[in-house]
Amino acid sequence: MSLSEQEVQRRKSLEQLREKGIEPYPAALFPVNAFSSELQANYQEGKKVTIAGRLMRKKVQGKASFGEIQDSKGRIQVYFNRDEICPDEDKSMYNDVFKKLLDLGDFIGINGEIFKTQVGEITIKVESFEVLSKALKPLPVVKQDEKGNVFDAFTDPEQRYRMRYVDLIVNQEVKETFVKRTKLMNAMRQFFNEREYFEVETPILQPIPGGAAARPFITHHNALDIPLYLRVANELYLKRLIVGGFDGVYEFSKDFRNEGMDRTHNPEFTVMEIYVAYKDYFWMMDFTEQMIEQAAIAVNGTSTVTNGGNEISLKAPFKRISMLDSIKEHTGFDVSEMDEKGLKEVCAQLDIPTDDSMGKGKLIDEIFGEKCEANYIQPTFITDYPVEMSPLCKKHRDNPNLTERFELMINGKEIANAYSELNDPIDQRERFEEQLKLSEKGDDEAMFIDQDFLRALEFGMPPTSGMGIGIDRLTMLLTGQTSIQEVLFFPQMKPEPKKVVPQKTDFEKIGVSELWSEHVMAVYGTVESLTSAKPTQVHQMLNGYRKKNKLTIDALQLADVEAWF
RNA sequence: GAUUCAGUAGCUCAGCUGGUAGAGCAUCUCCCUUUUAAGGAGAGGGUCCAGGGUUCGAACCCCUGCUGAAUCACCA
């Protein structure tokens, strides 16, 4: 492992702290009693405070210095005065520990007193400080001027996602996004709990990956010697609970799909699903729009959001239109009475590619996806999907070719999906069998049959409406982000390639002594670059290095060096 | 999976027709007791993503690979 200049420097500082009897990683608690932004908001001159955080700015001006402490709430300036910190003869706490051995990023604890500087900035006058944890790697230094212009921002997405901890330290607005994500989930929980719906947990490892049409991740359980799948949805388990007698159940569910990754897809993602007995999808639309409006206000203080240049109003009620009407509106075609052949002709006219595995439902869905979906910027419920697309959804009360389903489109994207749930066990069995035929036809996303779920339905499930909502996408909407990676702490990435770093021992293998190997590596890097040079040159080079760095090992003889070649 | 773009110091980035690397911040040394994106003076710091090729000579041109981003395909 080779360290950068700054890392070497910090390790030296670490050692020097220990030599001074200062433990850089102390065990004892530090009695914090104040936070940066709260002190700013509530100025009390002369107040004694104890705070802790990272040192993020250090500006030494001789016998007095300014710094900035970043804690969980924000930042506050701190003032170090040599004679305040070191009232006695011994000035080393200021001259050495603060000025030389503390680096940006180190955690320190401070006892001090609040005052305002001549410029009027609220500042803590340090009376004493202690090292709480030493940082061995330098953070990117991001600066900001009065107008909020940011300089040298840490922006490389790869580094930001791989080292989210650094991103969070250095880019304040990143933290804000995640705070909003949690506020959103809390607001939803509150909305459900007020109505006495019950938060539950259901299996993530499932023997049959049901409830959605998607490619699952597969794993194996050794003790049972069976395959298990990471859930693609939790729908069938929540409905079993409705069978079991709960009136309303919900779960924030991490689901997993073994499919492509892009700006809006991560292999693991979060969905909230809720099922409420004795309701239908009309009720669910009212429920959903109220929930979204309230959540938006809880997160942003307003029901208006701006995303991708669009201003969107999340104030209930939302517009409603049936899928077939939407197609008619955006393409001019009335596909309501068409068969598979007619639909394929429409697709051909609209320039939508089709293939043999597509049934009626899929064709209609393609037309909608291609020609209609993107038009719905303001929240809109698209209702009454074709029965083939919705094997878990109750048939429409007025038209058996359709289902009582809605999707909520916002900003041209699907945000939520809901049904009057299918509770007729015989119909459900037939729908599963239809899916099986589709999968035999080549649709590799058709659903598996879950016999136990059918058995549950045969015991009777009350009329129920269920709704699922993508938490990642809703967070994106409410925070103005356009990439899912910005709303996931740790988005999936390819593993970092292991760097093949040359080792000291590589040099020792060709005969370099243990005393010399690290220095030879420092000069030449790799064995190859060493052996491609001339022995006489190498001999001079290394002895020159010895002299320059005042190494206390014996100089090399030319014969020693020649032996390496 | 396809295409395009990118990878240079701890961070953000320059680097001309190919002549073996530069700035700002950060770091180190010295000076400075209320500063504020950056006080003054000096110094150090790089396998230019990796591996091949072309060339007298490659950060730069060509090929392959790795990683990321964007667009597309896929994603009920």
Side-chain angles (χ1 to χ4, degrees):
Chain A
M1 182 169 62
S2 73
L3 298 174
S4 71
E5 187 191 26
Q6 295 191 43
E7 288 174 292
V8 171
Q9 186 61 39
R10 283 167 183 245
R11 274 160 211 256
K12 277 186 195 155
S13 301
L14 180 82
E15 281 318 306
Q16 286 172 33
L17 284 171
R18 287 219 165 97
E19 282 163 19
K20 287 182 163 297
I22 294 171
E23 172 51 49
Y25 302 103
L29 70 74
F30 186 79
V32 174
N33 66 11
F35 295 95
S36 59
S37 58
E38 291 170 6
L39 294 173
Q40 312 257 26
N42 183 18
Y43 176 64
Q44 286 175 274
E45 174 132 23
K47 190 184 179 190
K48 301 274 183 188
V49 295
T50 302
I51 69 159
R54 282 183 196 273
L55 183 65
M56 295 301 278
R57 185 164 68 88
K58 192 172 112 177
K59 183 182 154 86
V60 176
Q61 352 192 132
K63 297 180 188 67
S65 304
F66 286 93
E68 202 165 21
I69 292 292
Q70 176 171 316
D71 64 15
S72 62
K73 303 272 172 75
R75 291 187 178 192
I76 189 164
Q77 180 166 270
V78 289
Y79 174 71
F80 289 82
N81 182 304
R82 189 193 67 182
D83 298 325
E84 300 261 356
I85 296 167
C86 309
D88 304 329
E89 289 296 290
D90 180 7
K91 303 294 185 193
S92 76
M93 205 55 192
Y94 180 79
N95 284 339
D96 300 327
V97 178
F98 172 73
K99 270 170 72 176
K100 302 207 166 142
L101 303 180
L102 277 191
D103 292 297
L104 298 186
D106 291 353
F107 281 91
I108 57 175
I110 285 175
N111 288 301
E113 181 181 308
I114 305 292
F115 77 110
K116 268 189 189 167
T117 62
Q118 289 179 351
V119 196
E121 180 160 349
I122 296 170
T123 302
I124 300 174
K125 185 185 289 172
V126 180
E127 285 160 1
S128 65
F129 71 95
E130 56 188 271
V131 180
L132 297 180
S133 183
K134 181 104 194 111
L136 295 182
K137 282 184 181 292
L139 288 167
V141 180
V142 179
K143 298 197 171 178
Q144 207 171 342
D145 68 12
E146 292 162 354
K147 291 170 192 157
N149 298 317
V150 175
F151 299 83
D152 298 333
F154 179 61
T155 51
D156 179 10
E158 180 171 3
Q159 296 206 68
R160 287 185 48 230
Y161 302 151
R162 285 196 196 284
M163 299 192 286
R164 181 67 88 183
Y165 35 89
V166 174
D167 193 27
L168 287 164
I169 294 166
V170 138
N171 295 326
Q172 297 291 309
E173 69 288 354
V174 172
K175 196 168 174 184
E176 193 51 36
T177 299
F178 289 99
V179 169
K180 284 185 173 181
R181 184 182 169 114
T182 296
K183 277 187 183 164
L184 167 65
M185 292 173 71
N186 288 344
M188 289 173 70
R189 278 203 170 90
Q190 191 187 341
F191 189 85
F192 302 145
N193 291 344
E194 277 168 0
R195 289 160 179 74
E196 298 194 3
Y197 303 144
F198 194 58
E199 183 166 14
V200 297
E201 290 186 287
T202 64
I204 293 171
L205 285 173
Q206 301 179 347
I208 295 168
R215 228 163 292 150
F217 286 92
I218 184 165
T219 184
H220 185 263
H221 189 270
N222 290 340
L224 294 176
D225 193 24
I226 54 165
L228 286 174
Y229 302 85
L230 295 178
R231 67 179 168 202
V232 295
N234 56 352
E235 170 156 1
L236 302 187
Y237 284 93
L238 291 176
K239 285 187 194 170
R240 283 171 169 96
L241 296 178
I242 296 293
V243 171
F246 290 98
D247 271 348
V249 288
Y250 72 94
E251 180 175 19
F252 284 91
S253 164
K254 259 289 177 74
D255 291 350
F256 305 83
R257 296 187 183 177
N258 203 343
E259 289 162 353
M261 289 165 61
D262 61 27
R263 194 164 92 256
T264 54
H265 296 84
N266 194 65
E268 60 181 283
F269 58 102
T270 306
V271 174
M272 193 296 305
E273 290 202 31
I274 181 163
Y275 292 79
V276 184
Y278 313 114
K279 309 298 186 193
D280 65 7
Y281 77 141
F282 292 115
W283 178 89
M284 189 57 88
M285 283 188 244
D286 298 341
F287 181 82
T288 302
E289 62 197 10
Q290 282 171 39
M291 184 203 75
I292 291 200
E293 181 182 350
Q294 285 196 21
I297 291 168
V299 169
N300 289 323
T302 163
S303 60
T304 304
V305 296
T306 304
N307 195 298
N310 296 317
E311 187 169 290
I312 298 163
S313 167
L314 299 175
K315 192 166 172 44
F318 301 162
K319 193 181 149 196
R320 303 176 186 190
I321 183 171
S322 81
M323 185 178 233
L324 295 177
D325 285 346
S326 171
I327 290 174
K328 204 188 291 174
E329 190 180 315
H330 289 102
T331 69
F333 289 101
D334 182 352
V335 299
S336 57
E337 301 299 325
M338 286 186 186
D339 58 7
E340 202 172 307
K341 200 170 146 225
L343 286 165
K344 282 198 176 163
E345 279 165 18
V346 170
C347 284
Q349 287 189 48
L350 293 171
D351 250 351
I352 299 169
T354 58
D355 66 61
D356 290 345
S357 77
M358 289 177 173
K360 241 176 95 174
K362 185 116 184 167
L363 289 165
I364 291 175
D365 191 61
E366 281 296 310
I367 296 170
F368 179 80
E370 285 291 319
K371 299 294 172 190
C372 308
E373 192 170 298
N375 296 306
Y376 295 105
I377 301 301
Q378 297 303 321
T380 306
F381 291 112
I382 307 297
T383 65
D384 304 342
Y385 283 59
V387 65
E388 295 87 344
M389 294 307 296
S390 315
L392 300 166
C393 184
K394 190 174 273 192
K395 279 183 185 151
H396 197 277
R397 54 195 82 178
D398 302 324
N399 181 345
N401 294 321
L402 301 177
T403 52
E404 297 208 346
R405 171 178 181 179
F406 72 78
E407 286 195 356
L408 173 59
M409 313 297 302
I410 307 179
N411 203 24
K413 294 182 187 76
E414 176 199 335
I415 293 288
N417 182 21
Y419 308 146
S420 294
E421 300 296 336
L422 177 53
N423 62 344
D424 174 344
I426 294 170
D427 190 359
Q428 182 68 80
R429 185 176 296 276
E430 286 167 7
R431 302 271 202 101
F432 275 144
E433 277 159 8
E434 283 298 316
Q435 288 289 304
L436 205 59
K437 280 185 204 148
L438 280 178
S439 86
E440 280 159 6
K441 217 172 155 186
D443 184 344
D444 58 1
E445 286 162 3
M447 293 185 191
F448 297 73
I449 299 188
D450 186 333
Q451 296 294 347
D452 175 68
F453 173 65
L454 288 171
R455 177 168 64 192
L457 287 190
E458 286 172 7
F459 279 100
M461 181 171 90
T464 298
S465 184
M467 188 263 293
I469 188 161
I471 296 298
D472 310 300
R473 293 193 186 171
L474 185 56
T475 306
M476 285 165 65
L477 178 72
L478 293 179
T479 58
Q481 298 295 341
T482 54
S483 161
I484 198 170
Q485 297 169 107
E486 295 292 349
V487 302
L488 299 171
F489 273 127
F490 304 105
Q492 194 56 246
M493 311 269 300
K494 279 205 186 184
E496 274 180 90
K498 274 184 196 142
K499 282 192 182 151
V500 185
V501 180
Q503 302 288 318
K504 282 194 334 179
T505 50
D506 296 340
F507 291 89
E508 287 161 17
K509 276 177 201 148
I510 62 164
V512 181
S513 73
E514 280 180 40
L515 289 172
W516 269 98
S517 56
E518 71 175 293
H519 306 298
V520 175
M521 188 169 80
V523 174
Y524 285 95
T526 62
V527 173
E528 289 70 33
S529 71
L530 169 70
T531 52
S532 65
K534 284 181 185 155
T536 47
Q537 220 181 354
V538 171
H539 177 234
Q540 287 181 10
M541 189 77 181
L542 290 173
N543 281 332
Y545 180 86
R546 169 179 172 274
K547 196 169 176 186
K548 188 179 163 198
N549 289 285
K550 301 191 173 85
L551 300 181
T552 55
I553 48 182
D554 290 342
L556 284 162
Q557 300 304 309
L558 183 57
D560 299 334
V561 174
E562 280 171 337
W564 302 344
F565 288 80

